[in-house]
Structures are given as C-alpha cells and as structure tokens.
Amino acid sequence: MIPHDPVALGLSLPVWSVLPFAGLLLCIALFPLVSPFFWGRHFGKVCLAFGLPVAGYFLLHAPRELLHTTVEYISFIVLLGSLFTISGGILLRGTLRASPGVNCAALGAGAVLANVLGTTGASMLLIRPLLRANAHRKRSAHVVIFFIFVVANIGGALTPVGDPPLFLGYLKGVPFLWPLRALWPLWLVACGLVIGVFYMVDRRAHALEGVEEGDPASLHEKAGGASERVPFGIEGKVNLLLLAAVILAVFLPTPYRETAMAAAAIVSVWKTPARVREENEFTYHPIEEVAILFAGIFATMIPALLILKARGGSLGVDTPAEFFWATGGLSSFLDNAPTYLTFFSLGQGLGGSRLVAGVSKPILKAISAGSVFMGANSYIGNAPNFMVKAIAEEAGVRMPSFLGYMAWSCGILLPIFALLTLLFF
C-alpha cells in the first residue's frame, strides 16, 4: 500500500523514479541542439510522453500529491500568464541608444524593479524595450543572457515579492523586511559583479560592431532622413494599475489569488488597444511554450521533490556555505520554492542562536540567496528565464541552446558564487 504521508511516500519511492525528470531535462537540453525542427514541432508530445506516466502513477497511488502539484502548476501558470499578458499591453516609447553604459543602467534598474514587481513582472516589462534598443546590433544574445542573470533572478532577493521562495519564507514567519536588511550587501556585490562582467563583454561586442552600430537615430540618419528622436512615453497605462493589482493579489489565498490575476489579465485584453500590442510585437506563443514545457517539468519532478523532502537530512548539510550551494544547486533545475521550503525545514531542525522563524540567520541567509541567485544557472531554474528566451527568439535574437546557456552561466556565475561564498558564508 502506498503511504499518503509525503515523507513516508518519499522514503518509499525508488531513486530511479527520478529518471523521467532527468530524461525530460536531457531532451530539453539536447533536442533543440541536434534536431531543432523536430523539437519545435513535437516538444509538446515529448513533455506528454515523460509527464503522463508519472502523473498516471500518482493519480492511482497518491492522488493528493498529484492534486497538490496540479494546484501549484495552475497558480504558477496563472501568475506568469497574467504578468505576460498585462506587460504586453505596456508600450514604452523613446529612442534609446544601445550602448554598454545604457544596457548596464537597464540591468541595474531591472534589478531594483524586480523587488517591487517580482522577477517575472520586471522581466516581462523590460525585456521588449531592451530588445528594441539592441535590435540593430549583430551581437545581442549576451544582453538577454545577462538580463536573465540579473533581472530574472539575482535582482529579486530583497523582498518577499521579488521571488517565490522569499514569499514562502514570509508565510513561514520570516519578517517582510528581513531579506532587505540581511541580504542587501550580498545582493549589491552579486549584482555589481555580474553587471561589471557584462560591461566588459558588451563593450567588446559593441567595439567589434562600430561605435554607431545599434543607434536607431544614427541608422535613420544614414538612411537619408533627418535624425528624429522619439520622446519617452508610455501607452497602455491602465496596465500599470493592473500590474500592481496582480502583485497585491499574490498575498491572497487560493483560489482568490488566481481569480484576481485572471480577472486583471482579462481586463488588460479588453482595455488595451490592439495597436499597442501590435507595436510591442506581442503574441501568446512564448507563454504557450512555457505552459507546455513546465507542465511536463512539474509532473516529472514530483518524485524528485518527495525524495528530497524525505531524505534531505542525509545530505549532511549543516554549514551556511553548504546550504548556499545545496539549495542553489537544486534550485537550478527544480522549482526553487519547494527546494527553499525543504532546506528551510532542515535549517529549523539544526536550531542554533540568532533564530529567524526557527532558522539561524546565517543559514537562512544562505538558503535565501542560494534559491534566488542560482535559479539563473539554467533556462528552467526560474519561471521567467524560459519566457525571456522565447520572447527574445521571437524578436529574432539567436539564443544559445540549453547547454550553451549553461556554458555562460557556469563560466560567469559559478566563479562569482564561489567568491560570494568566501566573502559572506
């Protein structure tokens, strides 16, 4: 008989039950590289092939776990879908020169804004204007990669609104302002280092293209017209209010939260002029792709999360540095919210002094930073990563493959995370 207790269920599951999850990750990593045409046409069938047997097993033997995962997935996709739809109705106008300095300023502003709108909200609001500013550059994929690093992940470490793990910590008793007080030096150093590396990379790419490359006004002048700069402006302002409504709805319980978010998205579609979305080059393809991929990921990762919850204590993790890397390493590929909760529970079991919600401050600091920062290590590490990639590709940017992206993240982020470990843990 299959136990209903999650811990007992996790202890009863064999290690090989994580193979569908590993297989799906392998397909996501390799198929776009070796057979992009096949993947583009059949990725939904691949997700179904891996996810359906796992979902069927839990439907028969542990329906509560499947129901819990289904509710989490619905909440996840409603949040993403509402933010995606609403932000697609906000058109930021203005001529912007895509220089290294301007790009760095955009990343810094996005890192701050991520703590107000969440990493998903900030990413969806800023990625299209940044793509337009860099539209005439031959080398712009690195801009999107660093955007994912900073705005979609590391930036959202200062408030519970910034990233889902911190919101769960708030619900578990962590004071709302604790991340800001505890993590701001770590956040500042991490963002500063990543943006500093980006400046060197972007300056080199910009130099290879020529000083005038990427300046919309300059290109227009070369085409034979007078240089005409478009003043800054915002269209679709009603969506700013709807965006705020979605962020506030995060604090509501299910199902009121999802109902409010869906209602805000419907109002956005109703009230936003069609020409605004057309000028934004808005389509629903990116959110459709994310919804299908993450349906498979959510289904196949059920055994992995249950095993981690039941046997996480056997990992021997007991120092802040170990918590930082263990939480971060798993958050790179698993949903960082339940990973945070698992290590949060492990931290409560250790006790100690200077406790915050039952966890010592150094360990809670490590868990929080690891779960937020290291979501940047892969396309599936955090919700907005894959969506930003899809939007960029739809705009004509040739993004690296799953493994190609990880070559960037391992080469740039892992040394920075190692330095953060020495400095703070």
Side-chain angles (χ1 to χ4, degrees):
M1 182 177 179
I2 303 296
H4 291 290
D5 177 64
V7 174
L9 180 57
L11 291 172
S12 70
L13 288 171
V15 175
W16 57 260
S17 63
V18 305
L19 287 179
F21 178 66
L24 181 56
L25 289 188
L26 198 61
C27 289
I28 293 172
L30 296 181
F31 267 122
L33 191 63
V34 300
S35 184
F37 179 77
F38 173 85
W39 180 251
R41 290 177 60 90
H42 302 291
F43 72 92
K45 297 174 185 175
V46 174
C47 292
L48 186 66
F50 280 101
L52 192 59
V54 179
Y57 173 85
F58 282 93
L59 177 63
L60 294 175
H61 300 289
R64 295 179 188 176
E65 293 304 318
L66 181 62
L67 177 62
H68 177 71
T69 301
T70 302
V71 170
E72 283 190 339
Y73 172 76
I74 292 173
S75 297
F76 166 85
I77 209 63
V78 168
L79 172 62
L80 287 190
S82 60
L83 290 173
F84 177 80
T85 302
I86 294 169
S87 64
I90 301 172
L91 177 61
L92 300 179
R93 295 186 181 277
T95 303
L96 185 65
R97 178 188 176 90
S99 67
V102 168
N103 282 337
C104 286
L107 294 186
V112 174
L113 197 61
N115 295 288
V116 180
L117 300 179
T119 53
T120 302
S123 297
M124 294 302 98
L125 181 64
L126 297 179
I127 185 57
R128 290 186 180 89
L130 191 63
L131 288 171
R132 285 197 294 269
N134 289 273
H136 299 287
R137 295 183 62 177
K138 296 176 183 176
R139 300 171 178 87
S140 59
H142 66 282
V143 178
V144 182
I145 291 169
F146 278 88
F147 183 91
I148 292 174
F149 290 170
V150 176
V151 182
N153 290 277
I154 299 172
L158 298 183
T159 70
V161 175
D163 219 30
L166 301 183
F167 182 71
L168 292 180
Y170 168 71
L171 295 180
K172 290 290 184 179
V174 178
F176 189 90
L177 293 178
W178 184 87
L180 177 62
R181 293 194 299 264
L183 297 177
W184 75 262
L186 184 61
W187 174 89
L188 191 62
V189 172
C191 289
L193 289 173
V194 176
I195 294 176
V197 173
F198 168 75
Y199 178 77
M200 292 186 290
V201 173
D202 198 40
R203 184 177 179 182
R204 173 63 175 166
H206 194 257
L208 291 173
E209 295 176 359
V211 177
E212 297 294 327
E213 193 92 32
D215 185 348
S218 298
L219 290 174
H220 180 65
E221 191 172 353
K222 289 177 184 177
S227 177
E228 180 183 349
R229 290 192 173 272
V230 179
F232 178 79
I234 302 177
E235 287 200 49
K237 293 179 182 178
V238 66
N239 289 287
L240 295 175
L241 296 176
L242 296 173
L243 203 58
V246 170
I247 300 304
L248 292 175
V250 169
F251 294 91
L252 298 175
T254 299
Y256 303 106
R257 175 175 61 234
E258 291 74 23
T259 302
M261 290 177 179
I266 292 171
V267 172
S268 174
V269 173
W270 174 35
K271 289 294 186 180
T272 304
R275 61 176 178 79
V276 171
R277 295 192 187 275
E278 290 174 3
E279 194 168 340
N280 250 344
E281 298 180 350
F282 175 88
T283 73
Y284 288 100
H285 175 72
I287 191 64
E288 291 171 0
E289 183 176 357
V290 168
I292 293 170
L293 283 174
F294 276 88
I297 290 170
F298 266 72
T300 56
M301 75 180 182
I302 298 174
L305 291 175
L306 287 170
I307 290 173
L308 177 63
K309 185 173 184 177
R311 308 175 195 176
S314 63
L315 296 175
V317 177
D318 54 15
T319 67
E322 291 171 346
F323 270 95
F324 177 65
W325 284 96
T327 308
L330 289 168
S331 294
S332 302
F333 302 100
L334 297 173
D335 188 351
N336 59 3
T339 302
Y340 172 95
L341 284 181
T342 297
F343 285 97
F344 186 90
S345 299
L346 293 179
Q348 286 179 321
L350 295 177
S353 57
R354 297 190 298 159
L355 298 180
V356 178
V359 182
S360 72
K361 289 183 180 179
I363 287 179
L364 183 57
K365 182 178 176 181
I367 295 171
S368 302
S371 61
V372 174
F373 287 5
M374 294 201 199
N377 286 343
S378 80
Y379 278 137
I380 64 170
N382 198 21
N385 298 8
F386 217 103
M387 195 179 301
V388 169
K389 172 184 179 290
I391 292 173
E393 289 177 333
E394 198 172 44
V397 178
R398 187 175 179 180
M399 292 296 292
S401 65
F402 188 89
L403 295 178
Y405 174 87
M406 288 193 65
W408 280 85
S409 65
C410 290
I412 293 168
L413 295 182
L414 294 189
I416 290 176
F417 294 153
L419 180 59
L420 294 178
T421 304
L422 295 176
L423 292 176
F424 295 99
F425 303 120

